[in-house]
Amino acid sequence: MSHRPTTSPYVFHVRDIVRSPGAHREVSESFAVPQALGTDIISVPEGADLELNVSLESVSEGIWVSGTARAQALGECGRCLDEVRLDVDATVQGLFTVGEIESDEDGEEPEDVFKFDGESLDLEDVVRDAVVMKLPFTPLCRPDCPGLCDQCGARLENDPDHAHEAIDPRWSALQSLTEQKES
Ligand SMILES: [Zn+2]
Ligand SMILES: [Zn+2]
């Protein structure tokens, strides 16, 4: 577990509304994310702006958090390796409870339920889950990106008629031998 500074921008005090069902507060904050949200392939990088608009609503089980998180993710196109910028508009939803989190029949903890100490909410996990869910497994600079030539690595976009000379037949025979050996 990494140590989280108490000054985390994700932490909101709710002592005044907790255990007062019906009471609520709107949170509207922009801050630089202290840690990247995402994967090695695409993420909202550390230091990027995140705009958080959520309502914190006191319910009998705790605090219900709902709203949106907006940020820009940076990644690499899975085909041509160009930079990809993606505007992320994620729906944030979660129940923060002071009680025990009950597992379902399969022994799994429910999603979207988080524990808190009754005083302050740490929204980092719920925001991270929401943002990561919006990120593609394979980012593309555009849906029909032609990618790179698998033989020489040239960008096919700049050179659509790109082609290679057929391999010398002698080499080709040798190559198929090698392939047979490998397979
Ligand atoms: Zn691309
Ligand atoms: Zn090529």
Side-chain angles (χ1 to χ4, degrees):
M1 268 310 206
S2 64
H3 175 71
R4 272 190 198 146
T6 47
T7 52
S8 165
Y10 292 103
V11 172
F12 298 93
H13 295 282
V14 288
R15 214 171 164 175
D16 52 329
I17 59 168
V18 74
R19 295 187 191 87
S20 313
H24 66 95
R25 178 175 322 129
E26 305 302 316
V27 166
S28 205
E29 299 274 346
S30 285
F31 53 84
V33 300
Q35 261 186 28
L37 308 171
T39 63
D40 289 344
I41 298 163
I42 186 164
S43 68
V44 174
E46 178 183 332
D49 280 336
L50 182 110
E51 189 190 324
L52 186 64
N53 286 294
V54 288
S55 103
L56 313 178
E57 198 184 335
S58 189
V59 293
S60 56
E61 302 93 332
I63 303 282
W64 172 248
V65 177
S66 64
T68 58
R70 289 195 187 90
Q72 193 176 60
L74 275 182
E76 205 174 61
C77 174
R79 293 185 194 151
C80 73
L81 311 182
D82 257 9
E83 185 182 80
V84 174
R85 286 173 183 269
L86 180 71
D87 288 322
V88 177
D89 188 348
T91 302
V92 175
Q93 266 186 356
L95 175 67
F96 285 74
T97 174
V98 286
E100 285 302 310
I101 298 175
E102 291 189 16
S103 307
D104 63 16
E105 309 94 74
D106 303 325
E108 303 225 356
E109 291 195 352
E111 283 175 41
D112 302 346
V113 181
F114 304 85
K115 253 185 121 144
F116 81 116
D117 60 5
E119 305 229 327
S120 56
L121 303 179
D122 185 345
L123 302 185
E124 183 159 3
D125 289 341
V126 69
V127 169
R128 179 183 299 276
D129 288 356
V131 168
V132 168
M133 199 131 89
K134 284 281 183 179
L135 300 176
F137 282 119
T138 306
L140 295 177
C141 61
R142 55 192 173 84
D144 57 350
C145 169
L148 304 177
C149 169
D150 58 6
Q151 293 193 46
C152 70
R155 297 174 58 84
L156 297 178
E157 185 174 33
N158 302 340
D159 191 1
D161 300 324
H162 187 90
H164 289 267
E165 297 288 319
I167 302 174
D168 183 304
R170 283 166 300 172
W171 284 111
S172 141
L174 194 65
Q175 198 176 41
S176 62
L177 263 179
T178 328
E179 273 164 11
Q180 275 171 19
K181 234 190 194 161
E182 275 166 3
S183 62

